Amino acid sequence: MSLVVLAVDDEPPALDELAYLLNADGRVAHVHRAGDATEALRVLRDTEVDAVFLDIRMPGLDGMELARILRRFAQPPAIVFVTAYDDGAVDAFDLGVTDYVRKPVRAERLGESLRRVAGLRAAPSPATAPDEPAIPVELAGTTKMLPRSSVRWVEAQGDYARLHTGEASHLVRVSLATLAERWANAGFVRIHRSFLVQLRLVTELRLTNSGYVVSVDGVELPVSRRHTRDLKDRLIRAAKHDWTR
């Protein structure tokens, strides 16, 4: 598949490098360039592109604001953030971006992003294949997109949160309170000031000498007294729903 892409960066050397790397990939047919978000919108007014490779921190309308505008398009392009910073990861997750690439950009890492974009272009439309929300995580020096559905429980670690999956754990720069608010509609429930769990994965709620605990994937996590009643109610409602389906 031949892709038409738009590279957006307010720093000319960074834009030149990004455009060069995109042009060097055999999947890319043409690279449009823009030095800021306003110029990018002018390009997009006249041209259909498959993906926008977008810096976040830019003067005026920044990359995050531009991405929100792009998501309102009738047929939005895939969005890949290309940034030197990791503090936009959670907002990127909320926007459903395709990838989150850290600067300095490597050809191999950019190739992975293009593979994802090409896969989206070849996949069925969102009407038949809903988007899988994902959050950027660091893995062996590379930013990967972790599907939210793979997260079993979350542990607070200061201003960070550790996402636990069935195979590993990943530290992300976001507070547990923020995730609890943003992931509530996806079935995640606060059980303790330090823990958030996927309710459907709770297999046991048990009283011990030190208080209640829940079991998630065979791991026991504490339930604070203030969250016990709400958790019991939620588990009962979920069980009744399963019985009556």
Side-chain angles (χ1 to χ4, degrees):
M1 173 178 288
S2 294
L3 300 172
V4 177
V5 301
L6 170 62
V8 187
D9 200 306
D10 66 300
E11 297 181 359
L15 181 58
D16 289 343
E17 177 68 9
L18 178 57
Y20 171 79
L21 291 173
L22 288 168
N23 268 315
D25 192 288
R27 286 163 291 204
V28 175
H30 186 78
V31 179
H32 296 276
R33 299 159 55 117
D36 57 36
T38 302
E39 185 180 354
L41 287 172
R42 282 198 294 267
V43 172
L44 292 167
R45 180 187 59 197
D46 303 322
T47 309
E48 288 188 11
V49 303
D50 296 297
V52 178
F53 288 76
L54 177 62
D55 189 21
I56 292 181
R57 296 192 181 182
M58 297 186 293
L61 191 69
D62 67 19
M64 204 67 72
E65 292 166 324
L66 176 58
R68 291 189 179 98
I69 293 172
L70 299 183
R71 298 304 292 174
R72 296 200 293 268
F73 281 24
Q75 293 184 315
I79 298 170
V80 176
F81 281 131
V82 183
T83 176
Y85 307 95
D86 62 3
D87 55 1
V90 173
D91 287 329
F93 160 78
D94 283 345
L95 288 167
V97 302
T98 300
D99 208 350
Y100 193 97
V101 178
R102 292 288 302 277
K103 295 179 179 178
V105 182
R106 294 179 291 108
E108 298 82 6
R109 182 66 183 87
L110 203 61
E112 183 177 333
S113 294
L114 287 165
R115 177 184 60 77
R116 292 179 183 175
V117 171
L120 287 175
R121 297 298 100 177
S125 67
T128 56
D131 240 359
E132 166 69 73
I135 187 167
V137 299
E138 290 294 318
L139 185 63
T142 300
T143 304
K144 301 285 188 181
M145 300 300 285
L146 179 73
R148 182 175 61 190
S149 60
S150 68
V151 178
R152 270 53 174 170
W153 51 283
V154 186
E155 178 182 6
Q157 295 195 344
D159 293 331
Y160 289 72
R162 184 168 293 279
L163 311 180
H164 293 266
T165 70
E167 299 78 32
S169 68
H170 307 275
L171 195 65
V172 295
R173 191 175 179 178
V174 58
S175 70
L176 192 74
T178 297
L179 287 182
E181 178 183 348
R182 297 188 181 187
W183 289 12
N185 290 337
F188 284 85
V189 178
R190 191 79 173 261
I191 62 168
H192 188 277
R193 62 186 174 86
S194 298
F195 295 101
L196 183 70
V197 301
Q198 172 53 262
L199 186 68
R200 62 181 173 79
L201 298 178
V202 174
T203 56
E204 184 180 48
L205 173 65
R206 181 166 55 85
L207 181 62
T208 69
N209 291 334
S210 56
Y212 279 96
V213 298
V214 294
S215 180
V216 179
D217 274 359
V219 177
E220 289 191 346
L221 303 172
V223 180
S224 66
R225 184 176 301 175
R226 62 173 295 206
H227 290 101
T228 300
R229 172 51 57 192
D230 180 60
L231 178 61
K232 285 182 177 179
D233 290 344
R234 286 172 179 265
L235 287 171
I236 291 170
R237 288 200 300 270
K240 284 183 177 178
H241 179 265
D242 289 342
W243 295 338
T244 56
R245 277 194 303 182

